[in-house]
Amino acid sequence: ELPPSEFMQVADSTWLVLSVVSNGRAPSGSQATGVTKIARSVIAPLAEHHVSVLMLSTYQTDFILVRERDLPVVIHTLAGEFDIYKEESGECVPVTCDDASNGFLKDKPATSPTLHPVQSPQTRFCILTVAPDTLPAIATMLIDVLFYSHSPPREAGTSSQDLDSITFFAFSLIEGYISIVMDAETQKRFPSDLLLTSSTGELWRMVRIGGQPLGFDECGIVAQIAEPLAAADISAYYISTFNFDHALVPEEGIAEVIQLLQQRQDSGR
């Protein structure tokens, strides 16, 4: 039972997972470019049709979560750009617009989506994977980092100037593939020979979107970040959470990213 001061909020709908694949195969490798590549073809069109999405980038690929009730509008929005398939009994079956129910069109919002503030902590992050058979060797360390190593949360009003560092650790296990995001200092606690990253060993910086909990209902948040980065051909690794959205970009490009997002903020006012 949660303490009286805390509560659990559960989305009032079921979410479905979409993944964009090329020639029947999901993109692989350590360059997290997926959210940038699909910004114009997927993220922007869904935002224009007022479809709320959650993004989850992994070391291997990128996933888009949409509400099950929004599936008809998703299909009609994307059918002109993509061949759409659904999984039935382990088989991929083509989906057509006729499979969606009538009344799929949603009224577009009368106002533009809210442009949320963007913060950029100084923390440097690593995007990693690990072979599943070596997971037991780091299990104890994973448990310690996930549940016992968090610093006290900052005040909600913390400004971007005071946001020197941020506690952030993400672990996903999807269809046998493991993906981990951790800060560079935390990485030093793990055996270096078990954590796999790109050959360049590049580090990433974060831009965090939102000044208060974003919830599940808003649309256009991912587009706020993905569209400017796509226009500048900048890779981005994106993770949505209930409170904030997080985009990781290559460290050497952080200054350009902040400038691009600030220009978008200024033009939206």
Side-chain angles (χ1 to χ4, degrees):
E1 183 177 346
L2 295 172
S5 60
E6 300 181 25
F7 66 93
M8 178 181 295
Q9 183 163 343
V10 180
D12 60 353
S13 56
T14 303
W15 294 70
L16 302 176
V17 180
L18 309 178
S19 61
V20 179
V21 301
S22 177
N23 296 325
R25 298 182 61 184
S28 60
S30 58
Q31 277 294 84
T33 59
V35 70
T36 302
K37 289 182 178 179
I38 62 177
R40 295 189 186 93
S41 58
V42 179
I43 300 301
L46 293 181
E48 290 172 1
H49 286 84
H50 208 205
V51 175
S52 180
V53 305
L54 298 176
M55 276 295 307
L56 175 62
S57 294
T58 70
Y59 185 91
Q60 290 78 20
T61 188
D62 297 82
F63 299 96
I64 308 158
L65 281 76
V66 299
R67 285 186 174 92
E68 187 173 27
R69 66 171 181 257
D70 286 336
L71 186 59
V73 67
V74 170
I75 292 173
H76 280 271
T77 301
L78 303 181
E81 183 79 20
F82 298 95
D83 295 324
I84 302 176
Y85 297 85
K86 60 182 177 181
E87 186 174 312
E88 289 186 351
S89 303
E91 298 291 331
C92 289
V93 180
V95 174
T96 67
C97 291
D98 295 335
D99 293 331
S101 61
N102 292 326
F104 65 90
L105 291 178
K106 302 173 70 175
D107 293 332
K108 294 186 179 182
T111 58
S112 300
T114 303
L115 290 178
H116 292 278
V118 174
Q119 301 170 323
S120 179
Q122 298 299 312
T123 309
R124 303 155 82 211
F125 291 93
C126 310
I127 298 174
L128 310 155
T129 188
V130 61
D133 59 351
T134 63
L135 187 58
I138 62 171
T140 302
M141 184 61 67
L142 277 174
I143 292 171
D144 181 64
V145 172
L146 281 168
F147 299 108
Y148 301 106
S149 298
H150 298 304
S151 59
R154 292 177 174 269
E155 296 297 326
T158 300
S159 67
S160 57
Q161 288 79 12
D162 298 330
L163 197 66
D164 295 328
S165 62
I166 184 174
T167 300
F168 187 92
F169 186 94
F171 175 91
S172 63
L173 174 59
I174 302 175
E175 294 185 335
Y177 294 101
I178 297 170
S179 181
I180 305 173
V181 177
M182 68 177 77
D183 63 82
E185 288 302 310
T186 299
Q187 183 193 16
K188 296 176 182 177
R189 300 171 56 181
F190 288 83
S192 59
D193 59 327
L194 298 183
L195 300 179
L196 308 176
T197 185
S198 65
S199 58
T200 58
E202 64 188 337
L203 294 174
W204 300 70
R205 288 278 300 278
M206 175 184 289
V207 288
R208 187 172 73 168
I209 306 94
Q212 57 186 0
L214 299 172
F216 301 115
D217 297 317
E218 284 199 55
C219 67
I221 300 171
V222 181
Q224 176 184 343
I225 301 298
E227 288 186 284
L229 299 189
D233 198 28
I234 297 174
S235 302
Y237 185 104
Y238 201 102
I239 297 178
S240 299
T241 67
F242 177 81
N243 288 320
F244 297 97
D245 276 22
H246 309 81
L248 290 139
V249 298
E251 184 178 28
E252 65 274 10
I254 187 64
E256 181 182 1
V257 168
I258 295 300
Q259 182 180 15
L260 288 170
L261 298 181
Q262 187 59 54
Q263 290 173 351
R264 186 179 179 92
Q265 289 272 359
D266 294 341
S267 64
R269 292 193 179 109

